[in-house]
Amino acid sequence: MAAPSGTGAGRAPLLRVVAECGQSMARAGELLLPHGTVPCPVFMPVGTRGTAKGITAEQLRALGCGLCLGNAYHLGTAPGPDVVQRAGGLHGFMGWSRNLLTDSGGFQMVSLLALCEVSEEGVRFRPPRGPAVLLSPERCMALQNALGADIVMQLDDVVSSTQTGPRVEEAMLRSVRWLDRCIAAHRRPTEQNLFAIIQGGLSPTLRRRCLAEMTQRDVPGFAIGGLSGGEDKELFWRTVKFSTERLPTHKPRYLMGVGYDTDLVVCVALGCDMFDCVFPTRTARFGSALGPWGSLQLKNRQFAKDFRPIDEDCDCPTCQRHSRAFLHALLRSDPAALHHITVHNIAYQLRLMRAVRDSIVGRRFPAFVRDFMRRRYGANPPSWAEAALRSVGIELS
């Protein structure tokens, strides 16, 4: 398959690497984006319909977030691209002056599997109410061009990470063809950075074929897709490492849908630069607060008379103002509690990634990893994480 001319030719690189671990594959860098430089590794909060649930854009800004995510499929159905364009694009619609990434809607082929039908033309969604919607590569790019995000994703053919059989190969090959159609349809290549998405399930053979094809396209960055869907953790980390080892070193590597803190730390060691996940906001809506020791289920009665903050080392507004006991009581009567926990959870994820980056720049990342894992798990880290870290030269014992 002949590679088309890509969208990265003749423009400055998107990624500037400022430090490397030297032992693992971890690196610290900067994403040189239109709405400001973003330090990486970076975790991106997810605002599917133009806002992260339970937190305002102003609060995200105050926590130091420089890049968050929206979903082109959902924004394309409501409020629709015309409304967003009239507001000055997604930045104006959200009141957000920093960077945005829009996902293409490919993941909805898994999350809305019962409502969609995939063909070479695209994916046709048949919602319970309203007319059917065809999301083709061309329509996907038109939506994302209208929304105006700083990073836009190709439309890929996504299958569950636990799927096996010929459908996985079909989806991988179609994703390559759809990438070429996205490149051809992209109307704002100098303003919006188009990322390719590597597919191929858990098969090294299919991943290798996809990597060989997609890396011939001169796109500004690459994502690793099709993971974090319930697959075995041993296969997860091996697939991540297999991919990062074969991706260009001078372009960003975005691991899609990953947000557990242990996964973030391990996958930075495996060479990933960017992450997103709904986990910190979704788990907050169940009363679960995150920290370096794991999570606190604040609905539990044990916190009724616990007057400490969620995390005594956290400087977020929730930890500075409210106790576990207050949040426990509020959870029984007021949805504002979920907002406070959401603020804390996102602050925790962003602070973790800043600490990871500082340790890489300071040439102490392996020690940071050992300290993180010891605090999180004591003497019993997950075997998959131990094996993954050992594969890049970091021993936990």
Side-chain angles (χ1 to χ4, degrees), residues 43-61 63 65 67-71 75 90 93-94 96 100 277-282 284-285 338-339 342-343 345-346 350:
F43 176 79
M44 299 176 285
V46 177
T48 301
R49 295 186 183 271
T51 179
K53 290 183 179 179
I55 190 169
T56 68
E58 183 54 44
Q59 288 170 322
L60 277 177
R61 190 161 34 241
L63 292 175
C65 176
L67 176 60
C68 63
L69 184 145
N71 184 281
L75 287 162
L90 190 53
F93 185 71
M94 292 176 58
W96 179 252
L100 289 167
C277 192
V278 298
F279 172 67
T281 51
R282 178 172 289 168
R285 298 197 293 276
L338 309 182
H339 163 76
T342 298
V343 170
N345 283 357
I346 291 180
L350 297 178

Side-chain angles (χ1 to χ4, degrees), residues 77-89:
T77 55
D82 294 341
V83 171
V84 174
Q85 273 192 305
R86 288 175 61 187

Side-chain angles (χ1 to χ4, degrees), residues 193-395:
N193 297 277
L194 174 62
F195 278 32
I197 304 177
I198 306 299
Q199 291 291 351
L202 301 173
S203 164
T205 300
L206 296 182
R207 288 274 170 179
R208 182 183 287 109
R209 289 172 62 189
C210 191
L211 283 154
E213 283 288 347
M214 287 192 172
T215 53
Q216 293 181 49
R217 280 71 175 166
D218 188 21
V219 291
F222 292 90
I224 302 169
L227 295 176
S228 198
E231 69 276 5
D232 179 82
K233 281 291 193 178
E234 185 78 16
L235 295 174
F236 163 77
W237 79 257
R238 289 186 182 279
T239 303
V240 172
K241 185 170 184 277
F242 185 89
S243 302
T244 55
E245 287 175 334
R246 290 161 176 79
L247 285 170
T249 59
H250 62 291
K251 294 185 178 183
R253 305 165 183 155
Y254 166 25
L255 181 56
M256 304 182 78
V258 168
Y260 296 146
D261 56 1
T262 301
D263 295 3
L264 295 174
V265 172
V266 170
C267 291
V268 167
L270 298 179
C272 298
D273 306 304
M274 302 166 62
F275 308 88
D276 80 281
C277 192
V278 298
F279 172 67
T281 51
R282 178 172 289 168
T283 199
R285 298 197 293 276
F286 292 94
S288 182
L290 305 178
W293 15 253
S295 63
L296 302 178
Q297 303 299 324
L298 291 173
K299 291 182 179 180
N300 292 349
R301 293 181 62 185
Q302 71 189 83
F303 299 111
K305 296 181 181 179
D306 188 338
F307 298 102
R308 293 173 294 171
I310 294 171
D311 182 352
E312 292 174 332
D313 295 325
C314 180
D315 61 359
C316 81
T318 300
C319 288
Q320 293 301 303
R321 297 170 189 163
H322 303 304
S323 68
R324 299 174 182 183
F326 171 79
L327 295 168
H328 169 81
L330 203 64
L331 278 165
R332 302 171 68 88
S333 60
D334 192 333
L338 309 182
H339 163 76
H340 294 311
I341 299 170
T342 298
V343 170
H344 166 77
N345 283 357
I346 291 180
Y348 170 68
Q349 302 282 101
L350 297 178
R351 191 174 73 253
L352 172 64
M353 298 310 285
R354 284 194 291 270
V356 166
R357 187 180 191 277
D358 288 347
S359 75
I360 299 169
V361 173
R363 305 292 181 181
R364 48 184 173 79
F365 178 69
F368 173 90
V369 172
R370 284 189 284 270
D371 289 344
F372 169 85
M373 298 296 283
R374 189 178 303 115
R375 186 173 185 186
R376 186 75 165 79
Y377 299 104
N380 299 294
S383 59
W384 73 267
E386 199 167 19
L389 292 167
R390 185 181 300 116
S391 78
V392 288
I394 299 178
E395 293 285 351

Side-chain angles (χ1 to χ4, degrees), residues 183-201:
I183 291 172
H186 191 13
R187 296 292 174 260
R188 300 176 65 182
T190 61
E191 304 162 77
Q192 296 178 290
N193 297 277
L194 174 62
F195 278 32
I197 304 177
I198 306 299
Q199 291 291 351

Side-chain angles (χ1 to χ4, degrees), residues 88-123:
L90 190 53
H91 291 88
F93 185 71
M94 292 176 58
W96 179 252
S97 60
R98 296 183 180 177
N99 295 287
L100 289 167
L101 179 151
T102 43
D103 193 6
S104 61
F107 177 70
Q108 277 61 53
M109 296 180 206
V110 175
S111 64
L112 301 177
L113 180 61
L115 304 177
C116 70
E117 176 185 335
V118 184
S119 68
E120 194 62 29
E121 185 182 15
V123 53

